[in-house]
Coordinates of all heavy atoms in Angstrom, one line a residue:
F17 N -119.6 17.4 -50.3 CA -119.4 18.7 -50.9 C -119.3 18.7 -52.4 O -119.0 17.6 -53.0 CB -118.1 19.4 -50.3 CG -116.9 18.5 -50.5 CD1 -116.1 18.6 -51.6 CD2 -116.5 17.6 -49.5 CE1 -115.0 17.8 -51.8 CE2 -115.3 16.8 -49.6 CZ -114.6 17.0 -50.8
D18 N -119.6 19.8 -53.0 CA -119.6 19.9 -54.5 C -118.1 20.0 -54.9 O -117.3 20.6 -54.3 CB -120.4 21.1 -55.0 CG -121.9 20.9 -54.7 OD1 -122.3 19.8 -54.6 OD2 -122.5 22.0 -54.6
L19 N -117.9 19.3 -56.1 CA -116.5 19.4 -56.7 C -116.4 20.5 -57.7 O -117.2 20.6 -58.6 CB -116.2 18.0 -57.3 CG -116.3 16.8 -56.4 CD1 -116.0 15.5 -57.2 CD2 -115.2 16.9 -55.3
T20 N -115.5 21.4 -57.5 CA -115.3 22.5 -58.4 C -113.9 22.5 -59.0 O -113.7 23.2 -60.0 CB -115.5 23.8 -57.6 OG1 -114.6 23.9 -56.5 CG2 -117.0 23.9 -57.1
R21 N -113.0 21.8 -58.5 CA -111.6 21.8 -59.1 C -111.0 20.4 -58.8 O -110.9 19.9 -57.7 CB -110.8 22.9 -58.5 CG -109.4 23.0 -59.1 CD -108.6 24.2 -58.5 NE -107.2 24.3 -59.1 CZ -106.9 25.0 -60.1 NH1 -107.9 25.7 -60.8 NH2 -105.7 25.0 -60.6
L22 N -110.4 19.9 -59.9 CA -109.7 18.6 -59.8 C -108.3 18.8 -60.4 O -108.1 19.5 -61.4 CB -110.4 17.5 -60.6 CG -111.9 17.3 -60.2 CD1 -112.5 16.3 -61.2 CD2 -112.1 16.9 -58.8
E23 N -107.3 18.1 -59.9 CA -105.9 18.1 -60.4 C -105.4 16.7 -60.5 O -105.8 15.9 -59.7 CB -105.0 19.0 -59.6 CG -105.3 20.5 -59.7 CD -104.2 21.4 -59.0 OE1 -103.3 20.8 -58.4 OE2 -104.4 22.6 -59.0
C24 N -104.5 16.5 -61.5 CA -104.0 15.1 -61.7 C -102.5 15.3 -62.0 O -102.1 16.1 -62.9 CB -104.7 14.4 -62.8 SG -104.2 12.7 -63.0
F25 N -101.7 14.4 -61.4 CA -100.2 14.4 -61.7 C -99.8 13.1 -62.4 O -100.4 12.0 -62.1 CB -99.4 14.5 -60.4 CG -99.3 15.9 -59.9 CD1 -100.3 16.5 -59.2 CD2 -98.1 16.6 -60.0 CE1 -100.2 17.8 -58.7 CE2 -98.0 17.9 -59.6 CZ -99.0 18.5 -58.9
D26 N -98.9 13.2 -63.3 CA -98.3 12.0 -64.0 C -96.8 12.2 -64.2 O -96.4 13.4 -64.4 CB -99.0 11.8 -65.3 CG -98.7 10.4 -65.9 OD1 -98.2 9.5 -65.1 OD2 -98.8 10.2 -67.1
I27 N -96.1 11.1 -64.2 CA -94.6 11.1 -64.4 C -94.3 10.4 -65.7 O -94.9 9.4 -66.0 CB -93.9 10.5 -63.2 CG1 -94.3 11.0 -61.9 CG2 -92.4 10.6 -63.4 CD1 -94.0 12.5 -61.7
S28 N -93.4 11.0 -66.5 CA -93.1 10.5 -67.8 C -91.5 10.5 -67.9 O -90.9 11.5 -67.7 CB -93.7 11.2 -68.9 OG -93.4 10.6 -70.2
H29 N -91.0 9.4 -68.4 CA -89.5 9.3 -68.7 C -89.3 8.0 -69.5 O -90.2 7.2 -69.7 CB -88.7 9.2 -67.4 CG -89.1 8.1 -66.5 ND1 -88.6 6.8 -66.7 CD2 -89.8 8.0 -65.4 CE1 -89.0 6.0 -65.8 NE2 -89.8 6.7 -65.0
T30 N -88.1 7.9 -70.1 CA -87.7 6.8 -70.8 C -86.4 6.2 -70.2 O -85.3 6.7 -70.3 CB -87.3 7.2 -72.3 OG1 -88.5 7.8 -72.9 CG2 -87.0 5.9 -73.1
G31 N -86.6 5.1 -69.4 CA -85.5 4.5 -68.7 C -84.9 5.5 -67.7 O -83.7 5.4 -67.5
G32 N -85.6 6.4 -67.2 CA -85.1 7.3 -66.2 C -84.5 8.6 -66.9 O -84.1 9.5 -66.1
E33 N -84.5 8.7 -68.2 CA -84.0 9.8 -68.9 C -85.0 10.9 -69.0 O -86.1 10.7 -69.4 CB -83.5 9.4 -70.3 CG -82.9 10.5 -71.1 CD -82.7 10.2 -72.6 OE1 -82.9 9.0 -72.9 OE2 -82.2 11.0 -73.3
A34 N -84.5 12.2 -68.8 CA -85.4 13.3 -69.0 C -86.7 13.2 -68.4 O -87.8 13.3 -69.0 CB -85.5 13.6 -70.5
T35 N -86.7 13.0 -67.0 CA -88.0 12.8 -66.3 C -88.7 14.1 -66.2 O -88.2 15.2 -65.9 CB -87.7 12.3 -64.9 OG1 -87.0 11.0 -65.0 CG2 -89.0 12.0 -64.1
V36 N -90.0 14.1 -66.5 CA -90.9 15.2 -66.5 C -92.2 14.9 -65.7 O -92.8 13.8 -66.0 CB -91.3 15.7 -67.9 CG1 -92.3 16.8 -67.9 CG2 -90.0 16.2 -68.6
A37 N -92.6 15.7 -64.8 CA -93.9 15.6 -64.1 C -94.8 16.6 -64.7 O -94.4 17.7 -65.0 CB -93.7 15.8 -62.6
A38 N -96.1 16.2 -64.8 CA -97.1 17.1 -65.4 C -98.3 17.2 -64.4 O -98.6 16.2 -63.8 CB -97.5 16.6 -66.7
C39 N -98.9 18.4 -64.4 CA -100.1 18.6 -63.6 C -101.1 19.3 -64.5 O -100.8 20.3 -65.1 CB -99.8 19.5 -62.4 SG -101.3 20.0 -61.4
V40 N -102.3 18.7 -64.5 CA -103.4 19.3 -65.3 C -104.6 19.6 -64.3 O -104.7 18.9 -63.2 CB -103.9 18.3 -66.4 CG1 -102.8 18.0 -67.4 CG2 -104.5 17.0 -65.8
A41 N -105.4 20.6 -64.7 CA -106.5 21.0 -63.8 C -107.8 21.0 -64.6 O -107.8 21.4 -65.7 CB -106.2 22.4 -63.2
F42 N -108.8 20.6 -63.9 CA -110.2 20.6 -64.4 C -111.1 21.3 -63.5 O -111.0 21.2 -62.3 CB -110.7 19.2 -64.7 CG -110.2 18.6 -66.0 CD1 -108.8 18.3 -66.1 CD2 -111.0 18.4 -67.1 CE1 -108.3 17.7 -67.3 CE2 -110.5 17.8 -68.2 CZ -109.2 17.5 -68.3
G43 N -112.1 22.1 -64.1 CA -113.1 22.7 -63.3 C -114.5 22.4 -63.8 O -114.7 21.5 -64.6
V44 N -115.5 23.2 -63.4 CA -116.9 23.0 -63.8 C -117.1 23.2 -65.3 O -118.0 22.7 -65.9 CB -117.8 23.8 -63.0 CG1 -117.8 23.4 -61.6 CG2 -117.5 25.3 -63.1
E45 N -116.2 23.9 -66.0 CA -116.2 24.2 -67.4 C -115.3 23.3 -68.2 O -115.1 23.5 -69.4 CB -116.0 25.6 -67.7 CG -117.1 26.6 -67.1 CD -116.9 28.0 -67.4 OE1 -115.9 28.3 -68.1 OE2 -117.7 28.9 -67.0
G46 N -114.6 22.3 -67.6 CA -113.7 21.5 -68.3 C -112.3 21.8 -67.9 O -112.0 22.2 -66.8
A47 N -111.4 21.5 -68.9 CA -110.0 21.7 -68.7 C -109.6 23.1 -68.5 O -110.1 24.0 -69.2 CB -109.2 21.1 -69.8
I48 N -108.8 23.4 -67.5 CA -108.3 24.8 -67.2 C -106.8 24.8 -67.6 O -105.9 24.7 -66.8 CB -108.4 25.2 -65.7 CG1 -109.9 24.9 -65.2 CG2 -108.1 26.6 -65.5 CD1 -110.0 25.1 -63.7
K49 N -106.6 25.0 -68.9 CA -105.2 24.9 -69.5 C -104.3 26.0 -69.0 O -103.1 25.8 -69.0 CB -105.3 24.9 -71.0 CG -106.1 23.6 -71.6 CD -105.9 23.5 -73.0 CE -106.6 22.2 -73.5 NZ -106.4 22.0 -75.0
A50 N -104.8 27.1 -68.5 CA -104.0 28.1 -68.0 C -103.3 27.7 -66.7 O -102.3 28.3 -66.3 CB -104.8 29.4 -67.7
D51 N -103.8 26.7 -66.0 CA -103.3 26.2 -64.8 C -102.4 24.9 -65.0 O -102.0 24.3 -64.0 CB -104.4 25.9 -63.8 CG -105.0 27.2 -63.3 OD1 -104.5 28.3 -63.5 OD2 -106.1 27.2 -62.7
Y52 N -102.3 24.5 -66.2 CA -101.4 23.3 -66.5 C -99.9 23.7 -66.2 O -99.5 24.8 -66.4 CB -101.4 22.9 -68.0 CG -102.7 22.1 -68.4 CD1 -103.8 22.2 -67.7 CD2 -102.7 21.4 -69.5 CE1 -105.0 21.5 -68.0 CE2 -103.8 20.6 -69.9 CZ -104.9 20.7 -69.2 OH -106.0 20.0 -69.6

């Protein structure tokens, strides 16, 4: 099937402090920053 939308998750912290998870989205036109 054709790919029209991709998402990626990443976890960031410093020794467990202030842990933040991020999700970014990409489509056929590139990054979809409104869906970050």
Side-chain angles (χ1 to χ4, degrees):
F17 53 88
D18 294 333
L19 300 177
T20 58
R21 184 179 178 90
L22 310 174
E23 291 187 358
C24 183
F25 278 78
D26 191 23
I27 308 295
S28 181
H29 58 82
T30 302
E33 177 189 3
T35 303
V36 172
C39 173
V40 299
F42 279 69
V44 294
E45 297 184 357
I48 310 174
K49 295 191 176 182
D51 292 346
Y52 282 21

